[in-house]
Amino acid sequence: MNAVYGEVARLSGTGVALRSTLVALACGGGLPLLLALTGPQNAQPPMPDIDTPEGVGFVLGIGTVLLFVPALIGTIAITNEYRHRTIGTTFLVVPRRGRVLTAKLAVYTALGIVYGMVASLSAFLALIVATWMRGVPLGVNVVNLVPALIQLSLAAAAYMLLGVGIGALARSPFVAIGVVLGYFLFVEYVLMMVPGVNAIYPFLPGGATASLTSFDFLTGAIASQTALTPATMVSPVLGAAILVAYAVIAAILAIFVPLRRDLR
Amino acid sequence: MNAAIEVEALSKRFGAVVALEDVTLKVENGRVVGFLGPNGAGKSTLMRALLGLVRSDSGEAHIAGLPYAHLPAPAKTVGAVLDIASAHPRMTARAHLHTYVALGGMDRSRVDTVLSLVGAQSYADRRIGTFSTGMRQRLALATAMLGDPDILVLDEPSNGLDPSGSAWLRTFLREFADADGAPYCSPAMCSTRLSTRSTTSSSSTEAAPSGLAHSNDS
């Protein structure tokens, strides 16, 4: 448990925990608030307004396009250990590296869940504020929103772990950040537009998240503009399983790659 | 009784570069030992191999009779300063020390003790990013002393210290060794310190097979 306490102290001391929470508030609520205020019916293609269940689902789902942010936080936090050379001192205090790396994973999983909960709460508040400002009713009962908000929290934790895995592999913050941003903001979208290849989208992290949250706006929008057949989303359960599989692979990489690495 | 540090036929290659070749040495308690050698001779690599940060290709390195990773309480046995830059610039010195106290399961009161020991109380709550090299060096030494270790392994410990800081460090290491600890340091700085002290104490230098040399000052 000492390794866990140490990692919590590091998160607190470096300000990562506080900044992660503030970013979750901004990213979780920002885009949904903007969309809910302007009205999903004004999107291209037009979507139902927030006084319908579909409209509420769309507004919450749009928040998933910013899930690369927790991945980025995980990546930066891990690569900073190499950048500032604190990983060596850490392994001197706890030479059994597996303990340190497992503790890091546990702490970042928890941070990812907290990020997701804060982002979800922020998105929920954005919806409430938008309905109040526009004078329209919310399309779903608040209780019915809980599953969607939990899904978003778990997806954020999975993305945080993906970021941790990428950071552990790359070590260089610039390379790792480039990989995260390049993949989530460019490569996945390009793959969605390549005929034939777009069929694998539901099995990529972004597609799995879209399946989990039943958010198929992006695939639909791209299909409508490119005449491509939109990729068929998998079930939310399978989407969740795919995301968990990615998180597990990232966790294995994050533990085993640095285990035997020379720290020169 | 086991030697404080014992290295036997240690070798390490990084690709085509031979960093260590068949290095053997023994350091008893109560001694200050300095490593001498040109840049790239492998002094730092040997220290990192001793502390388990670099995996040797062959040979053994033991501290108090055990490989570093097998020590029951490593931070309480060995304190090490290998890289003075190893601190997050956004952290305060106190938060930095609290992190390692928590990681090592040490008593929180050690933070104030080591801050006082290295004379860093006045900037304990400043961000490390604002520190001078000398302040970072003292923080690194404070980190090494957190576990109240019996053995110190220091890589170029006086880098960045002003003359009074260097004098303080010499006194600190001598007192540590006199208390039956076994400080052990590498570096350019050590060669200066040892040669100065050689007028009042015996010293010897022997070349290691890799071209690495170490000097004993008893």
Side-chain angles (χ1 to χ4, degrees), chain A residues 2-3 5-7 9-10 13-14 19 80 84-86 88-97 260-264, chain B residues 12 14 48 51-55 68-69 74 80 83 85-91 95 99-100 102-105 143:
Chain A
N2 289 337
Y5 295 144
E7 290 307 322
R10 194 193 309 279
T14 53
R19 276 177 286 147
N80 267 344
H84 301 305
R85 301 181 169 219
T86 50
T89 312
T90 301
F91 286 155
L92 285 178
V93 177
V94 186
R96 293 178 190 271
R97 297 185 182 187
R260 299 173 65 85
R261 185 182 267 158
D262 282 341
L263 293 171
R264 298 162 70 177
Chain B
K12 176 68 181 178
F14 294 111
R48 288 174 180 273
L51 298 170
L53 297 178
V54 166
R55 296 173 63 84
Y68 186 78
D83 190 345
S86 66
H88 196 294
R90 291 187 67 88
M91 274 188 164
T99 298
Y100 292 106
L103 274 170
T143 310

Side-chain angles (χ1 to χ4, degrees), chain A residues 172-197:
Chain A
S172 158
F174 304 106
V175 171
I177 290 169
V179 168
V180 169
L181 290 181
Y183 178 76
F184 288 112
L185 295 182
F186 182 70
V187 174
E188 266 200 354
Y189 294 122
V190 169
L191 291 177
M192 287 168 71
M193 290 186 265
V194 179
V197 177

Side-chain angles (χ1 to χ4, degrees), chain A residues 92-107:
Chain A
L92 285 178
V93 177
V94 186
R96 293 178 190 271
R97 297 185 182 187
R99 285 186 191 170
V100 174
L101 299 166
T102 306
K104 280 188 188 299
L105 280 180
V107 169

Side-chain angles (χ1 to χ4, degrees), chain A residues 70-71 104-106 108-109 156-166 247-248 250-251 254:
Chain A
K104 280 188 188 299
L105 280 180
Y108 281 101
T109 302
Y159 272 73
M160 181 86 68
L161 283 181
L162 276 177
V164 167
I166 293 168
V248 169

